[in-house]
Amino acid sequence: MVSPIIFAIATGIGLLTDKYMLEATNFVEHYAVQIKPNHEQKEFIKSAMYAGAIFGMVTFGPISDFAGRRACLIACSVITLMGALLSMVAWSADILIVARIITGIGMGGEYPLASTHSAESAKDSNDGARNVALLYLFGSGFGPILCDLVVYVLELSSLEPQFVWRGIFLIGSILSFLGLLLRLFTTKDSKKFSQATQSPKGTRRTFFKNYWRPLLGTALIWLLFDIVEYGLKQNDAAIFEAGHDAPYSEDILMVMLTRCLVIPSLIFAPWFLKRTYSKRVQLVGFAGCFITNLILALCYHQLRKMTLLFGLLYITQ
């Protein structure tokens, strides 16, 4: 019997690695000057992971219903490792774009698989909601912070830019490899999944018949949320740019600070989910995002001059 801590690490390390690799998008453009990407290639480097993620999401979820959660989680770790290694040794902008797409496929598969596996392994629906929330604390909270910390240390090391961005992907490769080992030796399909696979067609038909409305609503909610989250996150370093004369380490620290201040809300979410409905938690989150983003949009130029207030509102959203 695997301990709950090992289970949490084995399940969550994939999402942590994905968020780490996604956070690297913020900094690669600054360091990858040796491969001389043009403007279009820079934008593709930023967005390539998302293209791969779409493919991974729509394929690995259905495939896991037949092949099993464990097998597909391991496959995602292998794909992410391949993408990270190729990113580290990329010799041109085009190869880096391809590497990011491969990484994105692994990342996309992680989203439905890790959350579903966590929920299926829980004793009841309340524990399932808490497990998923803790999973996202592990990934969305600690993954980006780890990447920012690695970039900050490499920036202070005075290494040449080409070694900095390759070093970022080296750490991502190590995380992917550790996740692969953990999943090989500790992960197994849950009892709930094993029982459901005994009549998969009937189960799927019943599910879509009874839950198509909440399924569609949840998908649209995630679509809207991801537009906001990823549209901003891949440009945070540029948004918080201290200036051309200021050291780049200040930009990294500001981005890392915003990530650290997100942790309390991620910790609060599992506690909140145990005491109220997940729908209410979503409503609170979306209302907060709407209000703060509206203020930032209408008063951006004025707020940008007030660093503390701008940072506070940006973190709040």
Side-chain angles (χ1 to χ4, degrees):
M1 181 68 179
V2 178
S3 72
I5 295 177
I6 297 297
F7 170 81
I9 295 174
T11 304
I13 194 169
L15 191 59
L16 181 144
T17 305
D18 295 336
K19 293 294 185 178
Y20 173 98
M21 295 294 287
L22 194 61
E23 183 77 354
T25 304
N26 259 309
F27 311 107
V28 171
E29 179 183 348
H30 177 80
Y31 292 111
V33 292
Q34 185 196 28
I35 58 177
K36 300 178 181 178
N38 57 37
H39 177 72
E40 289 76 16
Q41 288 172 326
K42 288 179 181 179
E43 295 303 316
F44 273 118
I45 290 171
K46 284 185 177 182
S47 59
M49 279 190 71
Y50 305 116
I54 293 172
F55 180 80
M57 287 179 185
V58 300
T59 55
F60 273 101
I63 291 173
S64 71
D65 290 339
F66 300 96
R69 309 292 190 228
R70 177 182 182 272
C72 287
L73 282 168
I74 291 172
C76 285
S77 293
V78 172
I79 294 171
T80 304
L81 176 59
M82 290 170 55
L85 289 172
L86 186 57
S87 297
M88 182 181 67
V89 301
W91 55 90
S92 70
D94 290 334
I95 296 300
L96 182 57
I97 291 170
V98 171
R100 300 289 282 171
I101 292 174
I102 294 172
T103 306
I105 294 173
M107 179 185 79
E110 283 287 343
Y111 278 97
L113 288 174
S115 56
T116 301
H117 182 63
S118 294
E120 288 175 343
S121 301
K123 295 180 180 179
D124 53 47
S125 59
N126 287 332
D127 283 342
R130 183 193 60 193
N131 285 355
V132 173
L134 289 171
L135 172 70
Y136 277 85
L137 168 64
F138 194 69
S140 298
F142 299 134
I145 292 173
L146 177 60
C147 181
D148 297 336
L149 182 62
V150 168
V151 176
Y152 184 70
V153 171
L154 291 173
E155 170 68 18
L156 296 182
S157 68
S158 300
L159 288 171
E160 294 184 13
Q162 61 168 320
F163 296 120
V164 173
W165 68 269
R166 295 183 192 278
I168 296 170
F169 289 130
L170 172 61
I171 301 300
S173 301
I174 294 172
L175 290 172
S176 299
F177 182 68
L178 290 175
L180 176 60
L181 291 179
L182 280 171
R183 286 177 172 178
L184 280 170
F185 295 108
T186 65
T187 302
K188 62 180 182 179
D189 292 329
S190 68
K191 292 182 179 179
K192 291 180 182 178
F193 171 77
S194 300
Q195 293 171 356
T197 54
Q198 295 176 3
S199 57
K201 292 184 178 179
T203 302
R204 284 196 298 275
R205 281 199 298 264
T206 303
F207 176 81
F208 283 110
K209 180 181 177 180
N210 295 326
Y211 297 105
W212 70 269
R213 283 189 180 88
L215 180 64
L216 179 61
T218 302
L220 291 174
I221 287 171
W222 273 110
L223 171 65
L224 296 173
F225 176 76
D226 284 353
I227 291 172
V228 176
E229 182 186 25
Y230 294 126
L232 290 173
K233 276 189 174 180
Q234 70 175 11
N235 293 296
D236 278 349
I239 291 173
F240 286 103
E241 186 177 6
H244 295 295
D245 297 330
Y248 191 64
S249 58
E250 291 186 13
D251 299 348
I252 302 171
L253 278 178
M254 183 58 72
V255 173
M256 184 162 58
L257 177 62
T258 64
R259 302 293 186 258
C260 290
L261 294 178
V262 168
I263 295 294
S265 64
L266 292 171
I267 294 174
F268 176 71
W271 177 86
F272 199 20
L273 282 167
K274 293 287 287 184
R275 287 159 178 79
T276 187
Y277 299 108
S278 58
K279 182 177 180 179
R280 292 180 182 175
V281 178
Q282 284 186 328
L283 289 174
V284 170
F286 273 95
C289 285
F290 170 74
I291 294 171
T292 51
N293 276 301
L294 182 62
I295 295 172
L296 286 168
L298 295 176
C299 309
Y300 178 81
H301 294 291
Q302 295 89 337
L303 289 170
R304 197 65 187 87
K305 299 175 183 177
M306 297 178 278
T307 305
L308 183 61
L309 182 59
F310 177 80
L312 179 62
L313 285 170
Y314 193 86
I315 293 165
T316 302
Q317 64 87 25

